[in-house]
Amino acid sequence: KIQTTKEGYLVTHRKGEELYDAVVAAFPFLEREEIFQDERIRQYLSKYKHRLSTKGACVLYGVLKNYNPQNFYHAIVKQDPFNVYFVSFMKPEGEETTFTMSMHVPVKDWINLDRQAYLDKKEKKIQEMKSVLREYLGIEDSQIKTLFLSTPLTFNRYLGRITQGGIPISMKNPFWRIPPNFTKFKNLFLVGDMSFAYQGWLGVGIGVWNLKTGLDL
């Protein structure tokens, strides 16, 4: 919890409470605005929520045996430009190499499912992604040692966010309609892919640099 007081911001966490003069929020504040106890702050953040991405992430993690990747990064476009699989490999160690394969999926397709429907959908997605690995990279089932899939619900469980990439930049969502690093509340600052300058290491880095420069650190 983050509570506004006359002395500053009272942050309550698992080990107790601490009072700070300022807060730099890097958590997914547009999906977890309830962390702020001040109704004014919650209302300020909630006005941006409808601009959040409607997509989440499915990420396939795996360990392969006897597979030596020729390239370590791949962007595989299948069927249409919006169905892209991003694959990255680690450098092989001995007979094994690890990889991740990620894609964006509509969040609405994963929420409100009962457990069996969720497991069935998850297994179907695993088989779909395995078929892409087989078709485009020649990876056979016999080479797969370990495999598991994270869905938007997995990321929501562990990271407190279900969407992917904050607010997408578009004609409807130009930079000035994204939460700024400097809020209208004294000593409350925002960084990360839900604020200026959007997602990716470059976008997050620009937001952090913007804050650093503005605070003259």
Side-chain angles (χ1 to χ4, degrees):
K1 296 179 181 180
I2 301 176
Q3 185 175 353
T4 306
T5 71
K6 293 181 180 180
E7 292 77 25
Y9 293 93
L10 183 64
V11 179
T12 303
H13 48 79
R14 292 179 179 178
K15 295 184 178 182
E17 297 179 342
E18 293 179 288
L19 185 65
Y20 294 94
D21 293 329
V23 166
V24 178
F27 61 88
F29 45 81
L30 294 184
E31 293 190 38
R32 289 293 180 269
E33 74 273 12
E34 71 275 5
I35 288 177
F36 291 100
Q37 303 302 293
D38 190 324
E39 180 63 26
R40 298 172 304 159
I41 297 176
R42 290 201 298 268
Q43 289 180 355
Y44 171 79
L45 296 176
S46 66
K47 70 180 182 180
Y48 295 102
K49 289 190 67 173
H50 71 285
R51 301 186 183 278
L52 274 171
S53 170
T54 59
K55 299 293 182 67
C58 274
V59 182
L60 189 67
Y61 303 87
V63 178
L64 303 175
K65 55 185 179 181
N66 300 319
Y67 182 81
N68 187 17
Q70 299 302 305
N71 298 289
F72 290 96
Y73 304 100
H74 300 265
I76 300 172
V77 181
K78 188 174 174 62
Q79 296 178 346
D80 63 71
F82 301 100
N83 196 6
V84 183
Y85 303 82
F86 298 94
V87 185
S88 61
F89 294 95
M90 292 290 290
K91 184 177 180 180
E93 294 186 4
E95 297 180 351
E96 295 183 351
T97 184
T98 60
F99 76 93
T100 62
M101 180 182 190
S102 62
M103 65 179 301
H104 291 177
V105 295
V107 169
K108 63 180 179 60
D109 292 348
W110 290 89
I111 59 177
N112 301 323
L113 298 175
D114 61 41
R115 177 168 177 76
Q116 190 56 53
Y118 173 74
L119 293 176
D120 291 345
K121 189 172 185 66
K122 192 173 181 179
E123 180 59 29
K124 183 178 180 180
K125 181 59 67 176
I126 290 174
Q127 295 306 318
E128 170 198 322
M129 297 173 85
K130 283 174 63 177
S131 70
V132 174
L133 289 174
R134 184 165 51 248
E135 178 182 354
Y136 288 85
L137 298 178
I139 298 174
E140 299 296 334
D141 289 355
S142 60
Q143 295 175 290
I144 299 175
K145 182 177 180 180
T146 304
L147 205 64
F148 61 93
L149 180 75
S150 294
T151 73
L153 298 186
T154 312
F155 291 106
N156 190 47
R157 177 181 179 184
Y158 290 101
L159 300 180
R161 64 182 302 168
I162 198 169
T163 63
Q164 177 73 15
I167 298 176
I169 301 295
S170 67
M171 293 295 290
K172 293 182 179 180
N173 296 320
F175 279 110
W176 57 88
R177 290 185 176 177
I178 292 177
N181 303 134
F182 295 85
T183 73
K184 65 179 183 179
F185 304 99
K186 183 179 179 181
N187 291 338
L188 175 61
F189 311 101
L190 306 175
V191 294
D193 66 0
M194 289 188 177
S195 65
F196 179 86
Y198 187 42
Q199 67 168 308
W201 66 267
L202 182 59
V204 173
I206 290 173
V208 173
W209 181 257
N210 185 41
L211 183 63
K212 178 182 183 297
T213 304
L215 294 177
D216 195 26
L217 297 176

